[in-house]
Amino acid sequence: MRLLFLAVLRRHTGNAVTAQRVRDHLEAAGHVCILKDAFDFESPSEISNFIKAENLEAAVALHLYRGGRLLQGNGIPFGIIFGGTDLNEDVNQGDKNKVMGKVLEEARFAVAFTESMKETAQRQWPHAKDKIYVQSQGIATVPNTAFNWNTFLQHSEINQSADNLHVFLLICGLRQVKDPLYLVDAFSEWHQEEPNIYMVIVGPEVDPVFTREVKAKVKRTPGVRLIREMAQEDLHAVMKNCFALVNSSVSEGMSAAILEAMDLEVPVLARNIPGNSAVVKHEVTGLLFSDPQEFVQLAKRLVSDPALEKTIVANGREYVRKYHSWQEERQTYRQLVRTLERSPED
C-alpha cells in the first residue's frame, strides 16, 4: 500500500523523531510510506492534488490539528497519532477543537501515547472513544561511539578540567511551550556558588522571535550554554556523558528525550506536568519538580547522593525496557494500518 505520512518535521524534535520511527515500522511491513511536512501544504485541496499525483491509497497524520485537518474530505482512509500540543493546547481553542472533532469522525484510528492522553481525547470527543488506542513510544538509542566529549565541552566553553564536573542537559526546540528559560536564573545562581555545575540547552531554532530572546538571556547568564541542534547519534552520545537530563516544558505529550535518557542510564529531572508524570515516578524513575527552587534543591540532592542516582537510573532503564518496547510499537502500527486496507464495511 502507498501511504502518505503527514507530520511536523522540525529536525530532531520529538514529533520528527517519532515520525521517522513510525515510518520505519510501516516500511518494514512492506508499505511505501512518503513522509511529508504538514507545513508544506496550505489546504486540503493541495493535499488532494498530491495524493492523486503520487497515487496514494491511505494516510497517517501525526498531530490531530496540524496534520489531520489537511486530510479531511480527501476520500482516502487515514489514521491519526496525537502529538501533544493538539491535546494540551489546541483543544482549548474552540475553532480548533471543533475541527479536530470532525477529523476524528473520519479517522479509522487514533493513537495516544498514554492513558491520560486517551482519557483527555475521549472527554473531548466521546464519539471517537472506540477508535482510540494507547501505544507508548518505542525507544531505541544509538549513541555515536566516535563522539568526543572533551571536544564538545571545549566547543561549549565549559571548563572540562573542573573538579567533579556536572553537566545538566535540556533538549528542546526553542519555542515557548518548551520553556527553556524556566530554570536559567535559579541554575545560574547555583553555578556561581559551585562553578563545576553547568546547564546546556540543545535544540533547533523553531520560533525565530523566541530564539532571539533565549540567545540574549543565555549570553548574559553564567553557567548556562546554548548549543545548536545535533545529529541524533551525537545527541545520544552527549546525553550518555551528561550528569542528568532536564525537562522544563509547560506541556508534553510524551517526551522521547526523557525515555532516551532512561534507556541510556542517565537520571531525569522533569517539570511536574501530566505528560512527564505519566512516565516519571518521583524518586523511583526520576525526580519531579514544581518550581525552579525545587529543581535546584532536587538537583543538589542528586549530586550529593550517589545511592539515589543509582536507584533512579536502574529503575528508569527497567521501566523503558518493560513499557517502551520498540518491537511492540512496530506490531501495533502494523495492525492499525491494516484497518486502512479494508473497506469501512468490513
Side-chain angles (χ1 to χ4, degrees), residues 153-275:
L153 293 175
Q154 200 175 341
H155 286 163
S156 308
E157 297 180 358
I158 289 173
N159 178 12
Q160 63 261 50
S161 63
D163 288 340
N164 205 16
L165 179 67
H166 289 84
V167 175
F168 289 77
L169 184 67
L170 174 60
I171 299 171
C172 67
L174 300 185
R175 54 193 178 119
Q176 292 193 337
V177 73
K178 297 298 179 184
D179 211 359
L181 297 177
Y182 182 63
L183 301 171
V184 160
D185 287 333
F187 196 93
S188 184
E189 282 177 30
W190 181 23
H191 167 79
Q192 288 171 83
E193 290 169 26
E194 299 183 48
N196 59 321
I197 303 288
Y198 286 88
M199 175 182 278
V200 176
I201 303 168
V202 181
E205 300 178 2
V206 177
D207 176 336
V209 175
F210 185 62
T211 294
R212 285 197 292 274
E213 184 187 328
V214 172
K215 284 181 173 177
K217 176 73 174 175
V218 169
K219 204 170 186 178
R220 59 178 189 267
T221 307
V224 181
R225 303 287 187 266
L226 179 62
I227 306 295
R228 294 175 73 94
E229 62 183 308
M230 308 170 75
Q232 195 70 9
E233 291 82 359
D234 290 346
L235 197 55
H236 287 164
V238 171
M239 209 184 281
K240 196 173 169 65
N241 280 283
C242 75
F243 174 70
L245 181 98
V246 179
N247 180 295
S248 59
S249 297
V250 175
S251 76
E252 283 283 359
M254 177 177 282
S255 168
I258 285 178
L259 298 172
E260 287 164 352
M262 288 179 178
D263 192 51
L264 291 166
E265 302 184 303
V266 174
V268 171
L269 293 113
R271 193 168 177 171
N272 194 357
I273 56 170

Side-chain angles (χ1 to χ4, degrees), residues 47 53 102 109 128 132 176 182 229 232 250 255 258 296 302 307-308 331 345-346:
I47 285 282
K102 293 284 187 193
F109 65 80
I132 301 172
Q176 292 193 337
Y182 182 63
E229 62 183 308
Q232 195 70 9
V250 175
S255 168
I258 285 178
V296 172
L302 193 61
L308 175 65
Q331 192 56 34
E345 293 74 32
D346 288 352

Side-chain angles (χ1 to χ4, degrees), residues 140-157:
T141 52
V142 280
N144 177 0
T145 52
F147 188 83
N148 190 309
W149 176 240
N150 285 331
T151 303
F152 172 80
L153 293 175
Q154 200 175 341
H155 286 163
S156 308
E157 297 180 358

Side-chain angles (χ1 to χ4, degrees), residues 116-159:
S116 67
M117 286 174 79
K118 179 182 177 180
E119 285 162 15
T120 298
Q122 285 178 335
R123 272 197 310 274
Q124 291 294 327
W125 307 290
H127 64 271
K129 70 177 192 299
D130 293 334
K131 59 175 81 168
I132 301 172
Y133 301 83
V134 175
Q135 174 56 56
S136 299
Q137 296 204 66
I139 293 300
T141 52
V142 280
N144 177 0
T145 52
F147 188 83
N148 190 309
W149 176 240
N150 285 331
T151 303
F152 172 80
L153 293 175
Q154 200 175 341
H155 286 163
S156 308
E157 297 180 358
I158 289 173
N159 178 12

Side-chain angles (χ1 to χ4, degrees), residues 312-324:
I312 282 172
V313 159
N315 290 340
R317 189 164 193 237
E318 179 61 26
Y319 168 78
V320 168
R321 298 291 154 95
K322 192 170 179 182
Y323 296 106
H324 295 274

Side-chain angles (χ1 to χ4, degrees), residues 28-67:
H31 303 293
V32 174
C33 189
I34 299 173
L35 182 58
K36 298 294 286 184
D37 194 326
F39 284 130
D40 288 346
F41 301 92
E42 289 186 6
S43 66
S45 61
E46 277 189 34
I47 285 282
S48 184
N49 293 336
F50 183 77
I51 287 166
K52 284 173 190 148
E54 293 288 337
N55 196 25
L56 299 167
E57 301 157 84
V60 176
L62 174 52
H63 200 286
L64 181 56
Y65 182 73
R66 289 178 192 148

Side-chain angles (χ1 to χ4, degrees), residues 258 262 268 270 272 275-288 308 311-312 315-316 319:
I258 285 178
M262 288 179 178
V268 171
N272 194 357
N276 288 344
S277 60
V279 294
V280 178
K281 190 174 179 188
H282 187 58
E283 297 184 342
V284 179
T285 57
L287 297 171
L288 294 168
L308 175 65
T311 299
I312 282 172
N315 290 340
Y319 168 78

